[in-house]
Structures are given as C-alpha cells and as structure tokens.
C-alpha cells in the first residue's frame, strides 16, 4: 500500500515552454503533498507544501509564479514549471503524506527528471 | 535555520561488515527521524523511522537516537553490495516538513 506515482518520469523541453508534472497517491487519500527538487549530488530541497483545496505554501527562495502548484483532490497534485530555463533542469520528486498517529510519514513518488534545452 | 548534517563519504566497507552512518540535527524540538536510501537516479525509499531515544532494530538495520546529543545513526549489519547507495537522514519539524541531510554515500566492496 501507500503508492505514489508521478508522470511523466522524464521530460525534455525547449527553453521558454511550460511543463506539467502530476503526482498521484494511488491507494490512499493524502492529506498533504510535498514537492522537492534535487540537483545532481545534492540532497532533496523542499519547494512547497500543498493541501487539497488550498493554496500551496512555498519555501523561501522558491518563485510561486514560476512553479505553479495545484492540489485538485486528495489524490492529485500538479506542479507546472512555467517558462522553463536550463537552470530549472533537475529531478523533481513529490511525496504524499498519510496522517498516521504522530509520524505523518511521507511516501515518495519515483521522480520526474526535467531537462530544459 | 534548521540543519541536518551528514558526512558525505564515501564510506567504504567490505561485504559482511557493519556500516555505521551518522547524522546530527540542530532543532532540539524535532520529534521524528527518518533514514532513507537513494539509489542513483531514483527517489528515496524509507528504511526506518525512530522517535524514541535508544535503539530500534529491523532486520539488518538498527537506528539509534540520542535526543540529548541531537544525534541519530543507522547501523547496517552484514553489509551487501546491494546496500551501496546514498543514505539520507531526515528530521521532521513541528510543521511536519522533512529536513534532509546531504546524504552519505556508502560503498560495499565485494
């Protein structure tokens, strides 16, 4: 149980285009979803936290107008990278949280590798 | 600034040995601690979580937590080449966000 999927698994796009990444919790309803970014040989950096039906909360330094997050339902969150540039090339990973006692464990999706040419 | 510190490694151990991975954290109010394993090009997978002081064992893995010293560790017994990966320590803050360390790369030599 507690499976999270992401689509697409990889995408290559031209500079200036927008890219949408989907994150789905397949067998549970997620109270909260998180979006992370990971550059090569670096750790995961939290970009934003989203709850169903409300606006996402962005971490300091993350441009909310560039990284649009929509959390339409308890099983789906999307991240849209608008006007992507080569510096946005990264590994984007979502996670979904199932409130479980005191742990609020996060289940991670397989990630989406974005390459902007 | 909440921080989680790990030695980047690589930590190299022979097959069958015990690998010891360490992590310190700055937020004394942290309650939950997680160890993730990440293979190259893949997303993290949870190995263990711990929230009470002391040891917690699960198969070949033992997590150790010392809140007074703000220290958490992961021991891997009978290390296998398939354990070679980057191990991420993560600490959950009061708003349920995970703060990740930079990871320790483990190499298990056959």
């Amino acid at each position: 149980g507690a499976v999270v999927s992401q689509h697409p698994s990889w995408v290559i796009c031209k500079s200036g285009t927008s890219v949408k990444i989907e994150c789905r919790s397949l067998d549970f309803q997620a109270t909260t979803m998180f979006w992370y970014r990971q550059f090569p040989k670096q750790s995961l950096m939290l970009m934003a936290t989203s709850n169903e039906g409300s606006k996402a909360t962005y971490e300091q330094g993350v441009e909310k107008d560039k990284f649009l997050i929509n959390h339409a339902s308890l099983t789906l969150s999307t991240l849209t990278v608008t006007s992507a540039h080569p510096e946005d090339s990264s590994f984007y990973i979502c996670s979904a949280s199932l409130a479980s006692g005191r742990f609020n464990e996060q289940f991670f999706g397989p990630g989406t590798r974005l390459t902007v040419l | 600034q909440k921080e989680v510190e790990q030695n980047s490694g690589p930590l190299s151990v022979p097959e069958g040995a015990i690998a010891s991975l360490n992590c310190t954290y700055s937020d004394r109010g942290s309650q939950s601690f997680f160890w993730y394993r990440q293979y190259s090009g893949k997303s993290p997978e949870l190995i263990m979580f711990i929230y009470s002081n002391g040891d917690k064992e699960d198969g070949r893995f033992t997590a150790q937590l010392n809140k007074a010293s703000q220290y958490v560790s992961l021991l891997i017994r009978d290390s296998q080449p398939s354990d070679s990966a980057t191990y991420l320590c993560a600490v959950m803050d009061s708003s349920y966000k995970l703060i990740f360390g930079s990871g320790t790369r483990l190499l298990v030599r056959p």
Side-chain angles (χ1 to χ4, degrees):
Chain A
V3 178
V4 177
S5 70
Q6 274 185 250
H7 178 80
S9 55
W10 60 269
V11 58
I12 301 173
C13 69
K14 293 182 179 179
S15 186
T17 60
S18 294
V19 174
K20 180 185 283 188
I21 302 170
E22 289 187 352
C23 175
R24 292 182 185 273
S25 56
L26 298 184
D27 52 2
F28 68 101
Q29 292 188 325
T31 52
T32 306
M33 288 185 170
F34 302 84
W35 287 95
Y36 296 85
R37 180 168 53 179
Q38 186 177 35
F39 292 107
K41 300 197 184 301
Q42 295 186 25
S43 193
L44 278 73
M45 296 300 296
L46 180 65
M47 299 175 67
T49 303
S50 72
N51 293 289
E52 183 258 345
S54 60
K55 290 184 178 180
T57 302
Y58 291 81
E59 295 299 301
Q60 191 172 5
V62 177
E63 300 174 58
K64 61 180 181 181
D65 294 330
K66 181 169 184 63
F67 299 99
L68 302 179
I69 293 173
N70 183 278
H71 196 150
S73 73
L74 284 172
T75 60
L76 173 64
S77 177
T78 60
L79 167 68
T80 301
V81 183
T82 62
S83 186
H85 288 95
E87 59 266 28
D88 298 322
S89 298
S90 188
F91 192 41
Y92 292 86
I93 307 171
C94 74
S95 71
S97 176
L98 172 62
S100 175
R102 58 194 294 178
F103 300 119
N104 290 86
E105 182 180 351
Q106 292 185 26
F107 299 92
F108 284 84
T112 297
R113 187 160 303 281
L114 170 64
T115 302
V116 185
L117 303 176
Chain B
Q1 181 79 4
K2 299 170 185 173
E3 294 183 343
V4 178
E5 300 285 343
Q6 292 182 260
N7 188 315
S8 61
L11 172 66
S12 181
V13 300
E15 183 174 356
I18 296 175
S20 177
L21 305 162
N22 304 313
C23 172
T24 59
Y25 59 95
S26 63
D27 184 2
R28 196 170 278 280
S30 301
Q31 295 293 318
S32 304
F33 307 86
F34 301 80
W35 281 101
Y36 289 87
R37 176 173 62 195
Q38 187 176 28
Y39 293 110
S40 182
K42 304 293 185 182
S43 70
E45 55 179 318
L46 181 67
I47 298 175
M48 292 189 70
F49 63 84
I50 186 169
Y51 63 94
S52 295
N53 275 325
D55 295 0
K56 179 181 178 183
E57 187 175 318
D58 184 0
R60 295 188 296 115
F61 300 96
T62 298
Q64 300 174 316
L65 174 62
N66 184 324
K67 289 186 179 180
S69 300
Q70 295 174 243
Y71 175 91
V72 58
S73 66
L74 179 70
L75 299 178
I76 306 175
R77 289 181 298 281
D78 188 24
S79 295
Q80 301 297 309
S82 58
D83 294 327
S84 298
T86 297
Y87 288 79
L88 301 170
C89 172
V91 176
M92 186 168 282
D93 70 11
S94 57
S95 58
Y96 304 116
K97 296 178 184 177
L98 284 177
I99 312 299
F100 282 87
S102 58
T104 298
R105 194 163 137 243
L106 173 66
L107 297 175
V108 181
R109 309 187 303 272

